[in-house]
């Protein structure tokens, strides 16, 4: 794992924007901004908002384009229709899609407004494979170490499926709902196997409330009790965090030295 420690949440957003723009060849002047399509995995939650604002700003400045991007979001709540302001469909529309030039037909979010949720999850996994797999997956992380809605105990090789949310996740997300009763109990989420199949991963975390889970993810054992720890097996996973989220890492000085040395190559 590559660990990049930033001074502030704003710097996390800038670094994530720079890394993703380069990796996906989004820059309008870039020679890789050809007709070739790249597949981008997207996340919701508070953490990626700074990155999305950076993308929007640079798109408005004419620097980057999403014309050749196909996107797949990590997850969607069950029982929340797409037009509901609490849905991840609505979140993505408001916070990213309507501000950039991605083609609506190229955006994908798990469908939960249907009768057969397991079939919908299976179809989503197939759609990702048919698009050629995910080139770059953006991830946030839950306070108990979930990525997507892969809660503790998730199979480390799971595919897209219906998952029950833990009470901690429901409490963490209750701030977006009028009452705890309204917080959904289930979601369709990409699996840990789906995420691990992405060619590159950018995990973002900010704030001291993420410090324990970042320590467990980076320095703890690989365990289904901390689902994000599976990323230790990924050949190209970068963790971009602020100083607060990095504050419980035992080997912080070493990670900083690694980055300095990499920059000098
Ligand atoms: P947050 O959520 O970015 O709102 O902290 C992260 C997550 O639950 O994956």
């Amino acid at each position: 794992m590559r660990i990049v420690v930033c001074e502030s949440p704003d710097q996390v957003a800038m670094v994530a924007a720079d890394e993703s723009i380069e990796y996906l060849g989004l820059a309008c002047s870039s020679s890789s901004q050809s007709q070739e399509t790249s597949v981008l995995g997207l996340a919701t939650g508070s953490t990626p908002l700074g990155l999305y604002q950076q993308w929007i700003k640079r798109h408005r400045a004419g620097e980057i384009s999403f014309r050749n991007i196909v996107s797949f979001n990590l997850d969607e709540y069950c029982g929340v229709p797409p037009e509901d302001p609490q849905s991840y469909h609505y979140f993505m529309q408001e916070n990213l899609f309507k501000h950039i030039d991605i083609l609506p037909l190229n955006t994908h979010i798990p469908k939960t407004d249907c009768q057969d949720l397991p079939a919908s999850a299976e179809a989503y996994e197939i759609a990702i494979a048919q698009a050629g797999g995910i080139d770059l997956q953006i991830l946030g992380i839950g306070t108990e170490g979930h990525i997507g809605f892969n809660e503790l105990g998730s199979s480390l090789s799971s595919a897209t499926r219906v998952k029950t949310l833990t009470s901690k996740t429901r409490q963490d997300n209750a701030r977006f709902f009028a009452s705890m009763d309204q917080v959904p109990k289930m979601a369709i989420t990409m699996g840990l196997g789906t995420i691990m199949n992405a060619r590159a991963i950018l995990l973002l975390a900010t704030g001291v409330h993420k410090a324990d889970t970042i320590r467990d993810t980076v320095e703890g054992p690989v365990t289904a009790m901390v689902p994000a720890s599976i990323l230790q097996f990924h050949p190209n996973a970068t963790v971009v965090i602020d100083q607060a989220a990095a504050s419980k890492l035992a080997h912080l000085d070493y990670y900083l030295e690694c980055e300095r040395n990499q920059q000098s190559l």
Side-chain angles (χ1 to χ4, degrees):
M1 273 179 171
R2 180 179 161 213
I3 316 294
V4 182
V5 181
C6 300
E7 271 168 25
S8 64
D10 282 349
Q11 207 197 339
V12 168
M14 306 248 256
V15 168
D18 290 344
E19 294 276 329
S20 55
I21 287 167
E22 184 174 349
Y23 189 82
L24 295 165
L26 297 178
C28 292
S29 54
S30 156
S31 54
S32 52
Q33 236 293 308
S34 59
Q35 298 316 313
E36 231 170 86
T37 299
S38 293
V39 181
L40 173 59
L42 294 169
T44 50
S46 309
T47 312
L49 284 174
L51 166 63
Y52 296 167
Q53 278 155 20
Q54 280 294 321
W55 281 346
I56 292 165
K57 191 170 129 203
R58 298 187 202 191
H59 170 65
R60 287 196 177 134
E63 294 167 19
I64 62 172
S65 169
F66 293 81
R67 212 71 201 163
N68 296 323
I69 290 292
V70 171
S71 73
F72 285 89
N73 263 78
L74 282 167
D75 43 25
E76 177 59 286
Y77 289 125
C78 298
V80 181
E83 62 282 1
D84 188 312
Q86 311 304 342
S87 76
Y88 287 165
H89 279 77
Y90 192 93
F91 177 101
M92 290 309 299
Q93 199 53 37
E94 289 303 305
N95 291 301
L96 184 63
F97 295 153
K98 77 177 190 190
H99 306 288
I100 58 174
D101 62 345
I102 195 164
L103 301 175
L105 268 178
N106 283 348
T107 65
H108 304 84
I109 300 176
K111 266 178 72 67
T112 56
D113 56 336
C114 56
Q115 289 296 319
D116 191 342
L117 292 169
S120 173
E122 211 172 301
Y124 198 71
E125 186 78 23
I126 291 169
I128 293 171
Q130 284 174 342
I134 293 169
D135 291 303
L136 175 66
Q137 177 67 54
I138 308 295
L139 295 175
I141 186 168
T143 51
E144 286 186 321
H146 74 197
I147 45 178
F149 276 128
N150 292 285
E151 304 287 43
L152 48 88
S154 286
S155 157
L156 296 176
S157 57
S158 46
T160 305
R161 68 210 183 293
V162 181
K163 194 73 196 158
T164 295
L165 309 186
T166 63
S167 51
K168 182 69 168 67
T169 293
R170 293 184 66 236
Q171 277 161 23
D172 285 351
N173 291 4
R175 65 191 193 275
F176 299 112
F177 294 83
S179 70
M180 194 62 194
D181 290 349
Q182 290 177 24
V183 185
K185 297 199 160 96
M186 293 197 293
I188 289 183
T189 180
M190 281 186 203
L192 293 173
T194 323
I195 292 169
M196 287 295 286
N197 281 337
R199 290 173 194 98
I201 289 183
L202 263 186
L203 183 146
L204 314 181
T206 58
V208 72
H209 62 301
K210 297 288 173 75
D212 285 331
T213 195
I214 286 296
R215 179 201 55 214
D216 294 347
T217 296
V218 172
E219 297 180 340
V222 174
T223 167
M225 290 299 112
V226 183
S229 64
I230 187 66
L231 298 175
Q232 292 179 32
F233 278 121
H234 198 282
N236 190 6
T238 303
V239 174
V240 187
I241 49 183
D242 68 353
Q243 284 170 344
S247 58
K248 296 208 172 156
L249 290 171
H251 302 285
L252 179 59
D253 289 345
Y254 175 66
Y255 310 137
L256 296 172
E257 186 191 347
C258 287
E259 269 310 291
R260 278 195 303 274
N261 289 345
Q262 284 298 322
Q263 304 296 340
S264 70
L265 292 180

